[in-house]
Amino acid sequence: RCTVQNAASRQLLQLNDEQVLGQSMRRLLPYLAEPDRFARYVAAVETGQPQHFKASCDHGGQTGWYDVSVVRRDDGIVLTIL
């Protein structure tokens, strides 16, 4: 579940905090939950080793390449998309 959203996320998603906080990543960003990508999130949680990869994503009718970083925090992850 999303617990924090920054200004860049608000701009990218074009969603306010009420629309994002408490929602699952799979619901908000289904393209980031594809099996190969999701396996990296699991690896970050299980091993504690940060994950970094490039991902092609289609959001709002626009396709782009993004740098994705995943680090474990407590029993979840911090996902950074640049």
Side-chain angles (χ1 to χ4, degrees):
R1 301 273 175 218
C2 295
T3 59
V4 179
Q5 175 178 228
N6 63 20
S9 174
R10 286 184 203 97
Q11 183 179 6
L12 175 69
L13 298 176
Q14 297 184 356
L15 298 172
N16 63 38
D17 289 349
E18 286 182 4
Q19 296 168 298
V20 171
L21 301 183
Q23 298 298 318
S24 75
M25 182 181 70
R26 285 183 181 202
R27 181 183 168 280
L28 290 171
L29 304 167
Y31 47 83
L32 288 177
E34 293 174 2
D36 59 327
R37 296 173 187 172
F38 195 76
R40 291 183 176 252
Y41 310 148
V42 172
V45 172
E46 290 180 346
T47 68
Q49 296 297 313
Q51 302 288 310
H52 184 256
F53 58 97
K54 294 192 182 297
S56 172
C57 301
D58 180 21
H59 182 76
Q62 296 184 6
T63 300
W65 282 92
Y66 299 91
D67 286 315
V68 180
S69 295
V70 186
V71 295
R72 180 174 67 187
R73 180 171 178 174
D74 299 325
D75 65 346
I77 61 171
V78 174
L79 181 65
T80 305
I81 305 167
L82 301 173

